[in-house]
């Protein structure tokens, strides 16, 4: 989009408005819905029909009447939409937008761990591939991981792939043995305890909200630990006027928009997910025009992965 914009003679506003009109027209022609994760660029958030965290988006795709789902997020999210909606066309505007954490889990290693701990249940964070979900007993999101683990009859859990979310579950479900996987989110891991302490000193009345993908030391400093959508709920119901946001910077745009009387601070300039930022309005328009890139899951994998997602949705009602 940037190269296209530079080559055009339009102002940035004209260029963006034109793209928004094109997207609106194509959306109607294709009978499409645009779904966006809370970390997307602000101009992409502005054209989304539905926004939310991984759990909210999984639920939203199941209810839509649209024939085409344009998923502005990363690959595992579009894959989950395809698992839950095999009859719909799921488009991921940028093929390369993946989640490095999801790539840290492999089926081979899960099988090896299952052999070592045959009595353990495998819980996979939705930030994982369809193959990994298919190999798991149940999935979870950052918003329901504690409920999902508590709902299981097994006392030992292999938690895949985020070690920080796994650690957070371990603290909150001490009655179970949680076997951690060495995965992490390259954006959240960069937030350090000292940075949070410094920003807390600058804004002593602010509440600190942390995503459970942050380091355990950072999570310990939090007034509330939430999924991205959980942060919206918390801010809406809190009497506080100031908040330090311990997650990807994209969230702050919507937080400010929906809570004009409140202030938001980021504790670090490194809280950016490069993959989430790959999706631009230009790519969304391109995706609708050429119906690219269609995300599909082989049927035998989809059926098994679906079980894991359905069990999660049942456990988090
Ligand atoms: P949420 O489900 O909380 O939106 O998190 C998804 C994610 O990728 C966080 O990095
Ligand atoms: Fe993956 Fe982290 Fe980006 Fe979320 S923020 S999609 S966990 S890399």
């Amino acid at each position: 989009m940037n190269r296209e914009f530079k080559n055009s003679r339009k102002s940035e506003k004209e260029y963006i408005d034109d793209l928004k009109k094109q997207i609106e027209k194509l959306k109607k022609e294709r009978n499409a819905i645009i779904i966006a994760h809370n970390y997307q660029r602000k101009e992409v958030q502005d054209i989304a029909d539905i926004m939310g965290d991984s759990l909210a988006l999984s639920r939203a795709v199941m209810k839509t009447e649209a024939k085409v789902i344009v998923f502005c997020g990363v690959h595992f999210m579009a894959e989950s939409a395809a698992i839950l909606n095999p009859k719909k066309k799921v488009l991921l505007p940028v093929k390369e937008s993946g989640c490095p954490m999801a790539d840290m889990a492999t089926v081979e290693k899960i099988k090896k761990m299952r052999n070592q701990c045959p009595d353990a249940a495998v819980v996979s964070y939705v930030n994982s591939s369809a193959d990994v979900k298919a190999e798991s007993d149940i999935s979870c999101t950052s918003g329901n991981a504690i409920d999902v683990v508590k709902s299981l009859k097994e006392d030992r859990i292999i938690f895949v792939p985020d070690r920080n979310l796994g650690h957070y579950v371990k603290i909150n479900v001490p009655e179970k043995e949680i076997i951690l996987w060495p995965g992490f989110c390259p954006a959240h891991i960069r937030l350090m305890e000292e940075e949070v302490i410094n920003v807390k000193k600058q804004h002593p009345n602010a509440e600190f909200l942390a995503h459970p993908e942050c380091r355990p030391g950072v999570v310990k400093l939090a007034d509330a630990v939430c999924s991205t959508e959980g942060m919206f709920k918390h801010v809406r119901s809190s009497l506080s006027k100031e908040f330090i946001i311990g997650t990807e910077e994209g969230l702050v745009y919507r937080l400010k928009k929906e809570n004009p009387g409140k202030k938001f601070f980021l504790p670090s300039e490194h809280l950016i997910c490069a993959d989430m930022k790959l999706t631009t309005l230009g790519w969304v328009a391109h995706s609708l025009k050429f119906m690219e890139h269609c995300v599909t899951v082989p049927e035998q994998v989809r059926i098994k992965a679906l079980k894991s997602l359905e069990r999660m949705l049942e456990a988090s009602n």
Side-chain angles (χ1 to χ4, degrees):
M1 171 175 136
N2 293 342
R3 202 185 315 134
E4 250 178 68
F5 166 59
K6 277 181 199 148
N7 292 342
S8 77
R9 296 184 177 208
K10 296 171 189 164
S11 72
E12 189 176 357
K13 184 172 177 324
E14 282 169 337
Y15 180 74
I16 287 180
D17 286 348
D18 271 7
L19 277 173
K20 283 185 179 170
K21 275 186 209 145
Q22 268 184 53
I23 291 168
E24 212 39 56
K25 188 168 170 276
L26 285 162
K27 217 173 75 172
K28 284 197 188 107
E29 285 168 15
R30 302 286 193 202
N31 187 5
I33 187 170
I34 299 179
I35 300 223
H37 186 265
N38 291 321
Y39 295 161
Q40 288 288 295
R41 289 167 181 268
K42 58 183 188 314
E43 62 275 17
V44 174
Q45 296 192 23
D46 285 341
I47 52 137
D49 297 298
I50 300 176
M51 288 203 56
D53 64 7
S54 313
L55 181 60
L57 295 178
S58 296
R59 288 197 158 122
V61 289
M62 288 165 77
K63 285 188 200 138
T64 182
E65 303 268 296
K67 286 205 169 111
V68 177
I69 299 165
V70 181
F71 214 117
C72 301
V74 291
H75 188 265
F76 78 82
M77 296 179 175
E79 217 178 35
S80 294
I83 293 166
L84 293 164
N85 291 277
K87 295 209 168 95
K88 313 234 169 197
K89 218 173 216 351
V90 179
L91 303 176
L92 182 67
V94 181
K95 198 167 66 205
E96 295 75 18
S97 43
C99 168
M101 184 213 280
D103 297 339
M104 292 174 195
T106 62
V107 169
E108 291 65 36
K109 197 166 165 206
I110 294 178
K111 283 186 175 159
K112 207 167 150 197
M113 284 179 88
R114 268 201 198 275
N115 277 338
Q116 285 161 359
C117 320
D119 58 332
V122 175
V123 177
S124 60
Y125 188 22
V126 279
N127 297 39
S128 58
S129 67
D131 289 327
V132 163
K133 286 185 182 82
E135 202 51 46
S136 310
D137 295 295
I138 187 165
S139 293
C140 74
T141 69
S142 55
N144 63 17
I146 293 173
D147 288 344
V148 163
V149 169
K150 278 187 178 165
S151 76
L152 298 172
K153 62 176 190 325
E154 289 85 352
D155 293 326
R156 297 177 95 192
I157 310 292
I158 299 168
F159 195 92
V160 183
D162 186 15
R163 67 170 186 238
N164 289 341
L165 179 61
H167 184 270
Y168 175 64
V169 171
K170 196 178 173 124
I171 302 290
N172 284 279
V173 194
E175 63 276 22
K176 306 230 180 208
E177 185 192 342
I178 313 284
I179 301 160
L180 299 177
W181 190 274
F184 61 91
C185 162
H188 287 85
I189 203 86
R190 293 181 79 183
L191 177 59
M192 305 305 289
E193 288 86 329
E194 306 79 67
E195 292 177 296
V196 177
I197 292 166
N198 275 339
V199 184
K200 272 178 162 243
K201 274 190 199 142
Q202 286 162 29
H203 305 284
N205 296 323
E207 278 187 67
F208 172 50
L209 312 184
H211 194 279
E213 285 177 18
C214 292
R215 295 164 180 275
V218 167
V219 166
K220 227 176 169 174
L221 296 168
D223 297 295
V225 183
C226 332
S227 72
T228 58
E229 208 52 32
M231 290 191 188
F232 286 97
K233 284 196 196 114
H234 185 92
V235 167
R236 246 176 258 139
S237 61
S238 168
L239 295 178
S240 302
K241 291 272 178 260
E242 298 186 345
F243 301 87
I244 300 163
I245 302 299
T247 194
E248 213 269 354
E249 58 96 41
L251 198 83
V252 173
Y253 176 65
R254 199 181 131 206
L255 279 171
K256 284 185 177 165
K257 212 161 125 178
E258 290 183 9
N259 302 277
K262 302 194 173 185
K263 285 195 174 144
F264 302 94
F265 309 101
L266 279 166
S268 158
E269 59 187 22
H270 300 302
L271 281 164
I272 299 177
C273 173
D275 285 82
M276 284 282 182
K277 301 308 191 224
L278 289 174
T279 307
T280 60
L281 287 183
W283 283 118
V284 176
H286 181 276
S287 164
L288 278 163
K289 196 166 177 184
F290 298 101
M291 297 297 274
E292 283 181 352
H293 300 89
C294 192
V295 176
T296 53
V297 179
E299 192 56 10
Q300 70 279 18
V301 176
R302 192 189 74 79
I303 300 286
K304 286 168 89 184
L306 179 65
K307 277 207 183 106
S308 165
L309 286 174
E310 280 177 344
R311 279 192 78 190
M312 167 190 89
L313 292 169
E314 274 165 31
S316 56
N317 270 334

